[in-house]
Amino acid sequence: MYFPEYRPRRLRASGVLRDMVRETTLTVNDLIYPMFAIYGNGVKNEITSMPGQYQISVDNLAGEAEAIAKLGIPAVILFGLPETKDDAASGAHAEDGIVQQAIRAIKKAVPELLVITDVCLCEYMSHGHCGVIRGNEILNDVSLELLAKTAASHAEAGADMVAPSDMMDGRVAAIRAALDRDGYDNTPIMAYSAKYASSFYGPFREAADSAPAFGDRRSYQMDPANALEAMREISLDVDEGADIIMVKPALSYMDIIAAARSEFDYPLAAYNVSGEYSMVKAAAQKGWVDERKITMEILLSLKRAGADLILTYHAKDAAKWLREEGV
Ligand code: PBG
């Protein structure tokens, strides 16, 4: 049927009708909030390039976790800034490492808040790369051992889920084996499966002090030009035992999210990364966009594209706004 018999505007005529036929909903259960744990006491440093986001010392994490849980946000993902860095990423898998301490503090204060850990070496390496280096080369297989050790130490400290973000080949299998060997066969893996070498990570590297000292990450993270390769990467992670798959960044990669949704019947996460957050904040501070409306539109769009879960720095604001809207 065509116009004038069929009129799509009929179902847009009132709020009630729009609510009834809405295809996609965003709820607080979809959100995962990223946090940065740092050494020291009483620290809450605002990250210059990410207004409203902080590096927080372990003693301040309990209060922060309570506030997050009170907003109804089900999960956080932890990143750590160690006291010292070396070329073996010792801080990543130390029993008293910064993330291990942060996990214990949060689980003690708010046991029901799901704690996911980012498993990567870049924050702990003096050279800032996500693997062990030899000369200018980032080595794959020796890095797997450190990643597996790191994931197991997170589980040991009480992490509910681990999320490898390094993009080494074979890391999901290596981590699954280490977790199972140590008795953590019920700890799920959320794999950063299609993670692109992206300029959208710029502000994060200030937040996590993890910029590479030489070169870039293009020999391990994906080429932004490739979509088919993303499906191969995801399928490898699924075969290796990933429980949740992820596409990262989110906004410039919605085609990848949509393709992953139709090809894989696994829970799918999208990482709405630092640069995406900072651009919204900067434009909003200038009064050029309506922060609340644009943020909710972005998050809803990611759900519509096919994401089940969204990792986002907007999580706390979005949770407040959803509550105001009664969602
Ligand atoms: C660690 C890691 C990065 C991000 C998440 N985990 C940075 C990178 O790969 O350089 C980016 C997150 C963001 O930009 O919000 N490898």
Side-chain angles (χ1 to χ4, degrees), residues 34 36 50 79 118-123 130 165-166 192 195-196 198 200-205 210 212 217 220-221 248 271-275 313:
F36 301 96
M50 300 176 72
F79 298 91
D118 180 87
V119 176
C120 199
L121 306 176
C122 57
E123 295 113 288
C130 305
S165 69
D166 53 285
Y192 287 71
K195 176 174 176 180
Y196 288 87
S198 170
F200 285 97
Y201 309 149
F204 173 93
R205 293 187 186 161
S210 66
R217 303 207 199 290
Y220 41 108
Q221 298 179 349
K248 176 187 176 190
Y271 200 139
N272 175 216
V273 299
S274 58
Y313 304 96

PDB file of all heavy atoms in Angstrom, residues 34 36 50 79 118-123 130 165-166 192 195-196 198 200-205 210 212 217 220-221 248 271-275 313, ligand 1:
ATOM      1  N   PRO A  34      33.514   2.097  32.449  1.00  0.00           N
ATOM      2  CA  PRO A  34      34.974   1.949  32.576  1.00  0.00           C
ATOM      3  C   PRO A  34      35.533   2.829  33.693  1.00  0.00           C
ATOM      4  O   PRO A  34      35.131   3.988  33.845  1.00  0.00           O
ATOM      5  CB  PRO A  34      35.512   2.437  31.222  1.00  0.00           C
ATOM      6  CG  PRO A  34      34.313   2.624  30.336  1.00  0.00           C
ATOM      7  CD  PRO A  34      33.154   2.881  31.256  1.00  0.00           C
ATOM      8  N   PHE A  36      39.283   3.882  36.038  1.00  0.00           N
ATOM      9  CA  PHE A  36      40.739   3.872  36.061  1.00  0.00           C
ATOM     10  C   PHE A  36      41.242   3.893  37.496  1.00  0.00           C
ATOM     11  O   PHE A  36      41.043   4.871  38.218  1.00  0.00           O
ATOM     12  CB  PHE A  36      41.284   5.106  35.319  1.00  0.00           C
ATOM     13  CG  PHE A  36      40.826   5.170  33.885  1.00  0.00           C
ATOM     14  CD1 PHE A  36      39.719   5.926  33.518  1.00  0.00           C
ATOM     15  CD2 PHE A  36      41.503   4.463  32.900  1.00  0.00           C
ATOM     16  CE1 PHE A  36      39.284   5.968  32.203  1.00  0.00           C
ATOM     17  CE2 PHE A  36      41.081   4.499  31.576  1.00  0.00           C
ATOM     18  CZ  PHE A  36      39.968   5.255  31.223  1.00  0.00           C
ATOM     19  N   MET A  50      39.011  14.029  29.207  1.00  0.00           N
ATOM     20  CA  MET A  50      37.742  13.318  29.380  1.00  0.00           C
ATOM     21  C   MET A  50      36.995  13.904  30.575  1.00  0.00           C
ATOM     22  O   MET A  50      36.918  13.287  31.646  1.00  0.00           O
ATOM     23  CB  MET A  50      37.997  11.813  29.620  1.00  0.00           C
ATOM     24  CG  MET A  50      38.720  11.133  28.475  1.00  0.00           C
ATOM     25  SD  MET A  50      39.116   9.401  28.845  1.00  0.00           S
ATOM     26  CE  MET A  50      37.486   8.663  28.771  1.00  0.00           C
ATOM     27  N   PHE A  79      40.575  -0.549  34.499  1.00  0.00           N
ATOM     28  CA  PHE A  79      41.904  -0.330  33.935  1.00  0.00           C
ATOM     29  C   PHE A  79      42.800   0.125  35.073  1.00  0.00           C
ATOM     30  O   PHE A  79      42.322   0.728  36.033  1.00  0.00           O
ATOM     31  CB  PHE A  79      41.854   0.768  32.860  1.00  0.00           C
ATOM     32  CG  PHE A  79      40.984   0.407  31.691  1.00  0.00           C
ATOM     33  CD1 PHE A  79      39.643   0.750  31.677  1.00  0.00           C
ATOM     34  CD2 PHE A  79      41.494  -0.291  30.616  1.00  0.00           C
ATOM     35  CE1 PHE A  79      38.823   0.400  30.610  1.00  0.00           C
ATOM     36  CE2 PHE A  79      40.694  -0.643  29.542  1.00  0.00           C
ATOM     37  CZ  PHE A  79      39.352  -0.299  29.539  1.00  0.00           C
ATOM     38  N   ASP A 118      39.951  -5.299  32.171  1.00  0.00           N
ATOM     39  CA  ASP A 118      40.604  -5.219  30.873  1.00  0.00           C
ATOM     40  C   ASP A 118      41.933  -5.948  31.024  1.00  0.00           C
ATOM     41  O   ASP A 118      42.710  -5.640  31.919  1.00  0.00           O
ATOM     42  CB  ASP A 118      40.831  -3.751  30.508  1.00  0.00           C
ATOM     43  CG  ASP A 118      41.512  -3.579  29.164  1.00  0.00           C
ATOM     44  OD1 ASP A 118      40.806  -3.545  28.145  1.00  0.00           O
ATOM     45  OD2 ASP A 118      42.751  -3.484  29.137  1.00  0.00           O
ATOM     46  N   VAL A 119      42.151  -6.951  30.171  1.00  0.00           N
ATOM     47  CA  VAL A 119      43.409  -7.692  30.227  1.00  0.00           C
ATOM     48  C   VAL A 119      44.293  -7.201  29.093  1.00  0.00           C
ATOM     49  O   VAL A 119      44.018  -7.467  27.924  1.00  0.00           O
ATOM     50  CB  VAL A 119      43.156  -9.213  30.102  1.00  0.00           C
ATOM     51  CG1 VAL A 119      44.480  -9.963  30.052  1.00  0.00           C
ATOM     52  CG2 VAL A 119      42.292  -9.703  31.250  1.00  0.00           C
ATOM     53  N   CYS A 120      45.314  -6.421  29.453  1.00  0.00           N
ATOM     54  CA  CYS A 120      46.261  -5.924  28.453  1.00  0.00           C
ATOM     55  C   CYS A 120      47.568  -5.604  29.146  1.00  0.00           C
ATOM     56  O   CYS A 120      47.614  -5.484  30.360  1.00  0.00           O
ATOM     57  CB  CYS A 120      45.709  -4.705  27.724  1.00  0.00           C
ATOM     58  SG  CYS A 120      46.572  -4.423  26.152  1.00  0.00           S
ATOM     59  N   LEU A 121      48.617  -5.457  28.363  1.00  0.00           N
ATOM     60  CA  LEU A 121      49.927  -5.211  28.965  1.00  0.00           C
ATOM     61  C   LEU A 121      50.391  -3.769  28.788  1.00  0.00           C
ATOM     62  O   LEU A 121      51.324  -3.327  29.468  1.00  0.00           O
ATOM     63  CB  LEU A 121      50.961  -6.175  28.350  1.00  0.00           C
ATOM     64  CG  LEU A 121      50.590  -7.666  28.413  1.00  0.00           C
ATOM     65  CD1 LEU A 121      51.642  -8.508  27.692  1.00  0.00           C
ATOM     66  CD2 LEU A 121      50.444  -8.146  29.864  1.00  0.00           C
ATOM     67  N   CYS A 122      49.727  -3.018  27.907  1.00  0.00           N
ATOM     68  CA  CYS A 122      50.276  -1.700  27.521  1.00  0.00           C
ATOM     69  C   CYS A 122      50.460  -0.744  28.698  1.00  0.00           C
ATOM     70  O   CYS A 122      51.447  -0.019  28.759  1.00  0.00           O
ATOM     71  CB  CYS A 122      49.442  -1.064  26.414  1.00  0.00           C
ATOM     72  SG  CYS A 122      47.695  -0.857  26.799  1.00  0.00           S
ATOM     73  N   GLU A 123      49.532  -0.757  29.641  1.00  0.00           N
ATOM     74  CA  GLU A 123      49.660   0.167  30.781  1.00  0.00           C
ATOM     75  C   GLU A 123      50.845  -0.190  31.694  1.00  0.00           C
ATOM     76  O   GLU A 123      51.263   0.615  32.501  1.00  0.00           O
ATOM     77  CB  GLU A 123      48.384   0.162  31.633  1.00  0.00           C
ATOM     78  CG  GLU A 123      47.133   0.681  30.942  1.00  0.00           C
ATOM     79  CD  GLU A 123      46.099  -0.417  30.740  1.00  0.00           C
ATOM     80  OE1 GLU A 123      46.338  -1.284  29.874  1.00  0.00           O
ATOM     81  OE2 GLU A 123      45.079  -0.421  31.432  1.00  0.00           O
ATOM     82  N   CYS A 130      51.258  -3.479  23.611  1.00  0.00           N
ATOM     83  CA  CYS A 130      50.371  -4.460  24.237  1.00  0.00           C
ATOM     84  C   CYS A 130      50.984  -5.857  24.327  1.00  0.00           C
ATOM     85  O   CYS A 130      50.312  -6.813  24.716  1.00  0.00           O
ATOM     86  CB  CYS A 130      49.043  -4.513  23.495  1.00  0.00           C
ATOM     87  SG  CYS A 130      48.251  -2.891  23.383  1.00  0.00           S
ATOM     88  N   SER A 165      42.161  -7.205  25.539  1.00  0.00           N
ATOM     89  CA  SER A 165      42.050  -6.118  24.562  1.00  0.00           C
ATOM     90  C   SER A 165      43.321  -5.923  23.750  1.00  0.00           C
ATOM     91  O   SER A 165      43.487  -4.918  23.077  1.00  0.00           O
ATOM     92  CB  SER A 165      41.721  -4.805  25.294  1.00  0.00           C
ATOM     93  OG  SER A 165      42.815  -4.379  26.069  1.00  0.00           O
ATOM     94  N   ASP A 166      44.233  -6.898  23.812  1.00  0.00           N
ATOM     95  CA  ASP A 166      45.562  -6.732  23.227  1.00  0.00           C
ATOM     96  C   ASP A 166      45.642  -7.015  21.730  1.00  0.00           C
ATOM     97  O   ASP A 166      46.541  -6.560  21.059  1.00  0.00           O
ATOM     98  CB  ASP A 166      46.491  -7.716  23.929  1.00  0.00           C
ATOM     99  CG  ASP A 166      45.883  -9.113  23.858  1.00  0.00           C
ATOM    100  OD1 ASP A 166      44.926  -9.364  24.612  1.00  0.00           O
ATOM    101  OD2 ASP A 166      46.310  -9.915  23.009  1.00  0.00           O
ATOM    102  N   TYR A 192      37.673  -8.512  23.154  1.00  0.00           N
ATOM    103  CA  TYR A 192      37.723  -7.381  22.235  1.00  0.00           C
ATOM    104  C   TYR A 192      38.096  -8.008  20.879  1.00  0.00           C
ATOM    105  O   TYR A 192      39.257  -8.027  20.497  1.00  0.00           O
ATOM    106  CB  TYR A 192      38.816  -6.417  22.627  1.00  0.00           C
ATOM    107  CG  TYR A 192      38.642  -5.544  23.857  1.00  0.00           C
ATOM    108  CD1 TYR A 192      38.689  -6.067  25.142  1.00  0.00           C
ATOM    109  CD2 TYR A 192      38.519  -4.151  23.717  1.00  0.00           C
ATOM    110  CE1 TYR A 192      38.603  -5.227  26.259  1.00  0.00           C
ATOM    111  CE2 TYR A 192      38.432  -3.316  24.828  1.00  0.00           C
ATOM    112  CZ  TYR A 192      38.469  -3.864  26.085  1.00  0.00           C
ATOM    113  OH  TYR A 192      38.403  -3.027  27.185  1.00  0.00           O
ATOM    114  N   LYS A 195      38.933  -5.232  17.224  1.00  0.00           N
ATOM    115  CA  LYS A 195      39.440  -3.983  17.786  1.00  0.00           C
ATOM    116  C   LYS A 195      40.350  -3.335  16.756  1.00  0.00           C
ATOM    117  O   LYS A 195      41.337  -3.917  16.325  1.00  0.00           O
ATOM    118  CB  LYS A 195      40.209  -4.251  19.075  1.00  0.00           C
ATOM    119  CG  LYS A 195      40.838  -2.982  19.663  1.00  0.00           C
ATOM    120  CD  LYS A 195      41.461  -3.224  21.005  1.00  0.00           C
ATOM    121  CE  LYS A 195      42.148  -1.964  21.501  1.00  0.00           C
ATOM    122  NZ  LYS A 195      42.768  -2.160  22.813  1.00  0.00           N
ATOM    123  N   TYR A 196      39.984  -2.127  16.375  1.00  0.00           N
ATOM    124  CA  TYR A 196      40.683  -1.432  15.301  1.00  0.00           C
ATOM    125  C   TYR A 196      41.783  -0.517  15.826  1.00  0.00           C
ATOM    126  O   TYR A 196      41.683   0.015  16.936  1.00  0.00           O
ATOM    127  CB  TYR A 196      39.672  -0.616  14.490  1.00  0.00           C
ATOM    128  CG  TYR A 196      38.779  -1.494  13.636  1.00  0.00           C
ATOM    129  CD1 TYR A 196      37.607  -2.038  14.153  1.00  0.00           C
ATOM    130  CD2 TYR A 196      39.134  -1.801  12.331  1.00  0.00           C
ATOM    131  CE1 TYR A 196      36.802  -2.863  13.379  1.00  0.00           C
ATOM    132  CE2 TYR A 196      38.337  -2.629  11.540  1.00  0.00           C
ATOM    133  CZ  TYR A 196      37.173  -3.157  12.070  1.00  0.00           C
ATOM    134  OH  TYR A 196      36.385  -3.978  11.311  1.00  0.00           O
ATOM    135  N   SER A 198      42.799   2.650  16.120  1.00  0.00           N
ATOM    136  CA  SER A 198      41.944   3.821  15.937  1.00  0.00           C
ATOM    137  C   SER A 198      42.475   5.060  16.647  1.00  0.00           C
ATOM    138  O   SER A 198      42.991   4.985  17.758  1.00  0.00           O
ATOM    139  CB  SER A 198      40.550   3.489  16.499  1.00  0.00           C
ATOM    140  OG  SER A 198      39.752   4.643  16.567  1.00  0.00           O
ATOM    141  N   PHE A 200      40.498   7.168  17.752  1.00  0.00           N
ATOM    142  CA  PHE A 200      39.490   7.457  18.768  1.00  0.00           C
ATOM    143  C   PHE A 200      39.945   7.055  20.180  1.00  0.00           C
ATOM    144  O   PHE A 200      39.250   7.327  21.143  1.00  0.00           O
ATOM    145  CB  PHE A 200      38.168   6.750  18.437  1.00  0.00           C
ATOM    146  CG  PHE A 200      37.393   7.403  17.317  1.00  0.00           C
ATOM    147  CD1 PHE A 200      37.479   6.921  16.019  1.00  0.00           C
ATOM    148  CD2 PHE A 200      36.588   8.502  17.557  1.00  0.00           C
ATOM    149  CE1 PHE A 200      36.771   7.512  14.986  1.00  0.00           C
ATOM    150  CE2 PHE A 200      35.871   9.106  16.536  1.00  0.00           C
ATOM    151  CZ  PHE A 200      35.958   8.602  15.245  1.00  0.00           C
ATOM    152  N   TYR A 201      41.102   6.381  20.295  1.00  0.00           N
ATOM    153  CA  TYR A 201      41.602   6.019  21.633  1.00  0.00           C
ATOM    154  C   TYR A 201      42.465   7.122  22.247  1.00  0.00           C
ATOM    155  O   TYR A 201      42.992   6.935  23.345  1.00  0.00           O
ATOM    156  CB  TYR A 201      42.451   4.737  21.601  1.00  0.00           C
ATOM    157  CG  TYR A 201      41.820   3.549  20.919  1.00  0.00           C
ATOM    158  CD1 TYR A 201      42.606   2.604  20.253  1.00  0.00           C
ATOM    159  CD2 TYR A 201      40.445   3.361  20.946  1.00  0.00           C
ATOM    160  CE1 TYR A 201      42.036   1.511  19.624  1.00  0.00           C
ATOM    161  CE2 TYR A 201      39.868   2.270  20.299  1.00  0.00           C
ATOM    162  CZ  TYR A 201      40.668   1.355  19.636  1.00  0.00           C
ATOM    163  OH  TYR A 201      40.097   0.280  19.007  1.00  0.00           O
ATOM    164  N   GLY A 202      42.655   8.225  21.520  1.00  0.00           N
ATOM    165  CA  GLY A 202      43.573   9.271  21.979  1.00  0.00           C
ATOM    166  C   GLY A 202      43.417   9.653  23.446  1.00  0.00           C
ATOM    167  O   GLY A 202      44.370   9.556  24.228  1.00  0.00           O
ATOM    168  N   PRO A 203      42.230  10.093  23.876  1.00  0.00           N
ATOM    169  CA  PRO A 203      42.084  10.535  25.276  1.00  0.00           C
ATOM    170  C   PRO A 203      42.340   9.403  26.283  1.00  0.00           C
ATOM    171  O   PRO A 203      42.882   9.647  27.359  1.00  0.00           O
ATOM    172  CB  PRO A 203      40.623  10.997  25.346  1.00  0.00           C
ATOM    173  CG  PRO A 203      40.243  11.301  23.927  1.00  0.00           C
ATOM    174  CD  PRO A 203      41.023  10.338  23.080  1.00  0.00           C
ATOM    175  N   PHE A 204      41.987   8.177  25.940  1.00  0.00           N
ATOM    176  CA  PHE A 204      42.224   7.037  26.838  1.00  0.00           C
ATOM    177  C   PHE A 204      43.703   6.900  27.156  1.00  0.00           C
ATOM    178  O   PHE A 204      44.083   6.558  28.279  1.00  0.00           O
ATOM    179  CB  PHE A 204      41.732   5.738  26.174  1.00  0.00           C
ATOM    180  CG  PHE A 204      42.074   4.479  26.941  1.00  0.00           C
ATOM    181  CD1 PHE A 204      41.172   3.942  27.843  1.00  0.00           C
ATOM    182  CD2 PHE A 204      43.302   3.841  26.772  1.00  0.00           C
ATOM    183  CE1 PHE A 204      41.480   2.786  28.551  1.00  0.00           C
ATOM    184  CE2 PHE A 204      43.621   2.693  27.464  1.00  0.00           C
ATOM    185  CZ  PHE A 204      42.710   2.162  28.365  1.00  0.00           C
ATOM    186  N   ARG A 205      44.532   7.166  26.167  1.00  0.00           N
ATOM    187  CA  ARG A 205      45.965   6.944  26.395  1.00  0.00           C
ATOM    188  C   ARG A 205      46.513   7.961  27.390  1.00  0.00           C
ATOM    189  O   ARG A 205      47.482   7.673  28.088  1.00  0.00           O
ATOM    190  CB  ARG A 205      46.717   6.933  25.063  1.00  0.00           C
ATOM    191  CG  ARG A 205      46.285   5.697  24.272  1.00  0.00           C
ATOM    192  CD  ARG A 205      47.049   5.457  23.008  1.00  0.00           C
ATOM    193  NE  ARG A 205      46.443   4.325  22.288  1.00  0.00           N
ATOM    194  CZ  ARG A 205      46.611   4.064  21.008  1.00  0.00           C
ATOM    195  NH1 ARG A 205      47.390   4.851  20.280  1.00  0.00           N
ATOM    196  NH2 ARG A 205      46.031   3.032  20.450  1.00  0.00           N
ATOM    197  N   SER A 210      49.142   5.114  28.555  1.00  0.00           N
ATOM    198  CA  SER A 210      49.500   3.887  27.845  1.00  0.00           C
ATOM    199  C   SER A 210      49.860   4.115  26.379  1.00  0.00           C
ATOM    200  O   SER A 210      49.744   3.203  25.570  1.00  0.00           O
ATOM    201  CB  SER A 210      48.336   2.898  27.926  1.00  0.00           C
ATOM    202  OG  SER A 210      47.217   3.401  27.212  1.00  0.00           O
ATOM    203  N   PRO A 212      52.003   4.213  23.127  1.00  0.00           N
ATOM    204  CA  PRO A 212      53.239   3.511  22.764  1.00  0.00           C
ATOM    205  C   PRO A 212      54.404   4.485  22.618  1.00  0.00           C
ATOM    206  O   PRO A 212      54.234   5.573  22.074  1.00  0.00           O
ATOM    207  CB  PRO A 212      52.888   2.840  21.433  1.00  0.00           C
ATOM    208  CG  PRO A 212      51.664   3.501  20.917  1.00  0.00           C
ATOM    209  CD  PRO A 212      50.965   4.125  22.091  1.00  0.00           C
ATOM    210  N   ARG A 217      50.058   0.925  16.883  1.00  0.00           N
ATOM    211  CA  ARG A 217      49.555  -0.425  17.164  1.00  0.00           C
ATOM    212  C   ARG A 217      49.053  -1.134  15.903  1.00  0.00           C
ATOM    213  O   ARG A 217      48.322  -2.101  15.978  1.00  0.00           O
ATOM    214  CB  ARG A 217      48.417  -0.344  18.184  1.00  0.00           C
ATOM    215  CG  ARG A 217      48.772   0.334  19.506  1.00  0.00           C
ATOM    216  CD  ARG A 217      47.893  -0.193  20.628  1.00  0.00           C
ATOM    217  NE  ARG A 217      47.831   0.638  21.811  1.00  0.00           N
ATOM    218  CZ  ARG A 217      48.815   0.835  22.677  1.00  0.00           C
ATOM    219  NH1 ARG A 217      50.009   0.297  22.462  1.00  0.00           N
ATOM    220  NH2 ARG A 217      48.632   1.595  23.740  1.00  0.00           N
ATOM    221  N   TYR A 220      49.184  -5.000  15.265  1.00  0.00           N
ATOM    222  CA  TYR A 220      48.328  -5.963  15.971  1.00  0.00           C
ATOM    223  C   TYR A 220      46.851  -5.580  15.964  1.00  0.00           C
ATOM    224  O   TYR A 220      45.997  -6.441  15.844  1.00  0.00           O
ATOM    225  CB  TYR A 220      48.841  -6.302  17.377  1.00  0.00           C
ATOM    226  CG  TYR A 220      49.382  -5.170  18.239  1.00  0.00           C
ATOM    227  CD1 TYR A 220      48.654  -4.717  19.329  1.00  0.00           C
ATOM    228  CD2 TYR A 220      50.625  -4.602  17.993  1.00  0.00           C
ATOM    229  CE1 TYR A 220      49.161  -3.705  20.152  1.00  0.00           C
ATOM    230  CE2 TYR A 220      51.120  -3.575  18.798  1.00  0.00           C
ATOM    231  CZ  TYR A 220      50.388  -3.123  19.873  1.00  0.00           C
ATOM    232  OH  TYR A 220      50.871  -2.126  20.661  1.00  0.00           O
ATOM    233  N   GLN A 221      46.519  -4.308  16.078  1.00  0.00           N
ATOM    234  CA  GLN A 221      45.106  -3.940  15.999  1.00  0.00           C
ATOM    235  C   GLN A 221      44.695  -3.864  14.527  1.00  0.00           C
ATOM    236  O   GLN A 221      45.538  -3.716  13.637  1.00  0.00           O
ATOM    237  CB  GLN A 221      44.873  -2.597  16.702  1.00  0.00           C
ATOM    238  CG  GLN A 221      45.212  -2.677  18.192  1.00  0.00           C
ATOM    239  CD  GLN A 221      45.016  -1.358  18.924  1.00  0.00           C
ATOM    240  OE1 GLN A 221      44.819  -0.309  18.308  1.00  0.00           O
ATOM    241  NE2 GLN A 221      45.088  -1.409  20.247  1.00  0.00           N
ATOM    242  N   LYS A 248      35.052  -2.573  18.589  1.00  0.00           N
ATOM    243  CA  LYS A 248      35.606  -1.355  19.184  1.00  0.00           C
ATOM    244  C   LYS A 248      36.467  -0.632  18.177  1.00  0.00           C
ATOM    245  O   LYS A 248      37.284  -1.294  17.528  1.00  0.00           O
ATOM    246  CB  LYS A 248      36.465  -1.756  20.380  1.00  0.00           C
ATOM    247  CG  LYS A 248      37.184  -0.621  21.050  1.00  0.00           C
ATOM    248  CD  LYS A 248      38.118  -1.138  22.104  1.00  0.00           C
ATOM    249  CE  LYS A 248      38.872   0.042  22.674  1.00  0.00           C
ATOM    250  NZ  LYS A 248      39.945  -0.358  23.532  1.00  0.00           N
ATOM    251  N   TYR A 271      32.155  -0.930  22.253  1.00  0.00           N
ATOM    252  CA  TYR A 271      32.889  -0.021  23.138  1.00  0.00           C
ATOM    253  C   TYR A 271      32.823   1.395  22.568  1.00  0.00           C
ATOM    254  O   TYR A 271      33.435   1.694  21.558  1.00  0.00           O
ATOM    255  CB  TYR A 271      34.339  -0.474  23.291  1.00  0.00           C
ATOM    256  CG  TYR A 271      35.053   0.086  24.523  1.00  0.00           C
ATOM    257  CD1 TYR A 271      35.889  -0.709  25.287  1.00  0.00           C
ATOM    258  CD2 TYR A 271      34.886   1.409  24.928  1.00  0.00           C
ATOM    259  CE1 TYR A 271      36.552  -0.204  26.417  1.00  0.00           C
ATOM    260  CE2 TYR A 271      35.530   1.913  26.054  1.00  0.00           C
ATOM    261  CZ  TYR A 271      36.362   1.100  26.785  1.00  0.00           C
ATOM    262  OH  TYR A 271      37.014   1.611  27.894  1.00  0.00           O
ATOM    263  N   ASN A 272      32.023   2.215  23.230  1.00  0.00           N
ATOM    264  CA  ASN A 272      31.880   3.636  22.890  1.00  0.00           C
ATOM    265  C   ASN A 272      33.096   4.341  23.530  1.00  0.00           C
ATOM    266  O   ASN A 272      33.075   4.713  24.683  1.00  0.00           O
ATOM    267  CB  ASN A 272      30.538   4.101  23.491  1.00  0.00           C
ATOM    268  CG  ASN A 272      30.227   5.567  23.379  1.00  0.00           C
ATOM    269  OD1 ASN A 272      29.639   6.152  24.293  1.00  0.00           O
ATOM    270  ND2 ASN A 272      30.592   6.191  22.290  1.00  0.00           N
ATOM    271  N   VAL A 273      34.166   4.460  22.741  1.00  0.00           N
ATOM    272  CA  VAL A 273      35.492   4.743  23.314  1.00  0.00           C
ATOM    273  C   VAL A 273      35.718   6.203  23.706  1.00  0.00           C
ATOM    274  O   VAL A 273      34.883   7.075  23.456  1.00  0.00           O
ATOM    275  CB  VAL A 273      36.619   4.288  22.366  1.00  0.00           C
ATOM    276  CG1 VAL A 273      36.545   2.786  22.110  1.00  0.00           C
ATOM    277  CG2 VAL A 273      36.592   5.071  21.066  1.00  0.00           C
ATOM    278  N   SER A 274      36.897   6.429  24.271  1.00  0.00           N
ATOM    279  CA  SER A 274      37.234   7.729  24.851  1.00  0.00           C
ATOM    280  C   SER A 274      37.046   8.888  23.886  1.00  0.00           C
ATOM    281  O   SER A 274      36.458   9.908  24.245  1.00  0.00           O
ATOM    282  CB  SER A 274      38.662   7.699  25.387  1.00  0.00           C
ATOM    283  OG  SER A 274      39.587   7.363  24.362  1.00  0.00           O
ATOM    284  N   GLY A 275      37.552   8.755  22.656  1.00  0.00           N
ATOM    285  CA  GLY A 275      37.466   9.864  21.702  1.00  0.00           C
ATOM    286  C   GLY A 275      36.023  10.196  21.360  1.00  0.00           C
ATOM    287  O   GLY A 275      35.664  11.366  21.145  1.00  0.00           O
ATOM    288  N   TYR A 313      31.699   5.691  28.834  1.00  0.00           N
ATOM    289  CA  TYR A 313      32.004   6.665  29.888  1.00  0.00           C
ATOM    290  C   TYR A 313      30.767   7.489  30.227  1.00  0.00           C
ATOM    291  O   TYR A 313      30.748   8.199  31.221  1.00  0.00           O
ATOM    292  CB  TYR A 313      33.170   7.563  29.443  1.00  0.00           C
ATOM    293  CG  TYR A 313      34.395   6.736  29.072  1.00  0.00           C
ATOM    294  CD1 TYR A 313      34.660   6.388  27.745  1.00  0.00           C
ATOM    295  CD2 TYR A 313      35.244   6.246  30.064  1.00  0.00           C
ATOM    296  CE1 TYR A 313      35.741   5.597  27.415  1.00  0.00           C
ATOM    297  CE2 TYR A 313      36.334   5.444  29.735  1.00  0.00           C
ATOM    298  CZ  TYR A 313      36.573   5.120  28.414  1.00  0.00           C
ATOM    299  OH  TYR A 313      37.629   4.314  28.090  1.00  0.00           O
TER     300      TYR A 313
HETATM  301  C1  PBG B   1      44.286  -1.311  26.031  1.00  0.00           C
HETATM  302  C2  PBG B   1      43.031  -0.593  25.728  1.00  0.00           C
HETATM  303  C3  PBG B   1      42.834   0.586  25.003  1.00  0.00           C
HETATM  304  C4  PBG B   1      41.480   0.900  25.110  1.00  0.00           C
HETATM  305  C5  PBG B   1      40.893  -0.114  25.866  1.00  0.00           C
HETATM  306  N1  PBG B   1      41.857  -1.022  26.220  1.00  0.00           N
HETATM  307  C6  PBG B   1      43.785   1.482  24.316  1.00  0.00           C
HETATM  308  C7  PBG B   1      44.533   1.056  23.154  1.00  0.00           C
HETATM  309  O1  PBG B   1      44.334  -0.017  22.580  1.00  0.00           O
HETATM  310  O2  PBG B   1      45.431   1.827  22.796  1.00  0.00           O
HETATM  311  C8  PBG B   1      40.800   2.110  24.536  1.00  0.00           C
HETATM  312  C9  PBG B   1      39.597   2.579  25.279  1.00  0.00           C
HETATM  313  C10 PBG B   1      39.138   3.953  24.951  1.00  0.00           C
HETATM  314  O3  PBG B   1      39.671   4.670  24.087  1.00  0.00           O
HETATM  315  O4  PBG B   1      38.160   4.364  25.584  1.00  0.00           O
HETATM  316  N2  PBG B   1      44.920  -1.896  24.975  1.00  0.00           N
END
